[in-house]
Amino acid sequence: MVRGLLLGGAVAALFASALPAQAESPFEDPPPDKIVIKVATVNGSGCPQGTAAVAVSPDNTAFTVTYSDYLAQVGGGAPSTAFRKNCQLNLIVHVPGGFTYAIASVDYRGFASLQSGASGTEKASYYFQGSPDTAARTHAFSGPYEDNWQTTDETDWAQLVWAPCGVERNFNINTELRVNKGTSPANSTSFMTMDSTDGDISTVYHLAWKECPSG
């Protein structure tokens, strides 16, 4: 477990799903040496201190993020600012020398209760520290909706944002939940949550890999 890291929360999902079948990767498998993940910071209104726990597996090739208070809500006496919640996860990822990686696919899931006329969105963006390249995805939901939800962000091989070779840059994931009251009844309540996040990056199905240029 990452030492001393029990920080704010709701649900963000990282590194889950398969590498696109059409990807023309120069490597079919990830590098054999272990990938080491450390969490630098967790911040945001969706993950207040003490409501998120981040654990790294003993072999340092998997991580789990669980949140208990990632809730965006309108109505029901909720504060006017509660309609939008966000969380930023800052990761330090150590990869074997000579290789670089990109995020190929990410899964998010949670629960939504949206009244007729209300709407909700889940948004995520990913970027490496110091890089101008940002990948962003937004998913919309419309009421009436009363069920679990799940979204998957997939990126084509040509559009992948790769970690810079030869330097270590933190990887940032920003997530956001937003609920809009719209034309729903004045006394109604609508909300969206995010649930626990699991990420296993020991296989190619979650990360895309390629060799850095020689020299």
Side-chain angles (χ1 to χ4, degrees):
M1 176 163 300
V2 179
R3 181 180 179 184
L5 187 57
L6 277 177
L7 300 173
V11 168
L14 312 174
F15 310 139
S17 232
L19 182 66
Q22 73 273 20
E24 298 177 356
S25 169
F27 286 90
E28 296 181 356
D29 300 304
D33 295 336
K34 292 179 180 178
I35 305 103
V36 180
I37 301 173
K38 295 182 179 179
V39 179
T41 58
V42 179
N43 292 302
S45 59
C47 46
Q49 186 172 3
T51 62
V54 181
V56 177
S57 65
D59 61 3
N60 289 320
T61 60
F63 67 89
T64 299
V65 183
T66 55
Y67 300 90
S68 62
D69 194 25
Y70 205 149
L71 170 69
Q73 178 178 333
V74 292
S80 59
T81 57
F83 77 98
R84 177 188 177 274
K85 294 295 179 70
N86 75 293
C87 190
Q88 176 171 307
L89 184 64
N90 185 288
L91 299 176
I92 303 170
V93 182
H94 300 278
V95 300
F99 288 86
T100 184
Y101 73 96
I103 306 305
S105 179
V106 183
D107 287 338
Y108 293 91
R109 58 185 180 272
F111 184 84
S113 176
L114 302 174
Q115 302 301 315
S116 180
S119 62
T121 57
E122 176 271 319
K123 181 179 180 180
S125 61
Y126 321 92
Y127 65 95
F128 293 98
Q129 180 183 13
S131 172
D133 297 322
T134 300
R137 302 287 187 275
T138 301
H139 301 272
F141 301 84
S142 298
Y145 190 103
E146 187 83 20
D147 203 350
N148 295 319
W149 61 267
Q150 179 169 327
T151 64
T152 298
D153 295 346
E154 292 185 322
T155 304
D156 292 335
W157 183 263
Q159 303 300 319
L160 291 176
V161 178
W162 297 93
C165 288
V167 295
E168 185 174 287
R169 298 285 175 82
N170 288 12
F171 184 66
N172 295 275
I173 299 100
N174 293 316
T175 59
E176 177 184 311
L177 289 179
R178 184 187 294 261
V179 179
N180 295 313
K181 191 172 185 62
T183 59
S184 61
N187 60 348
S188 65
T189 300
S190 294
F191 67 87
M192 285 187 70
T193 70
M194 270 204 270
D195 302 326
S196 63
T197 300
D198 298 323
D200 182 349
I201 62 168
S202 61
T203 70
V204 71
Y205 299 107
H206 305 111
L207 297 180
W209 292 94
K210 69 178 182 179
E211 190 174 17
C212 290
S214 58

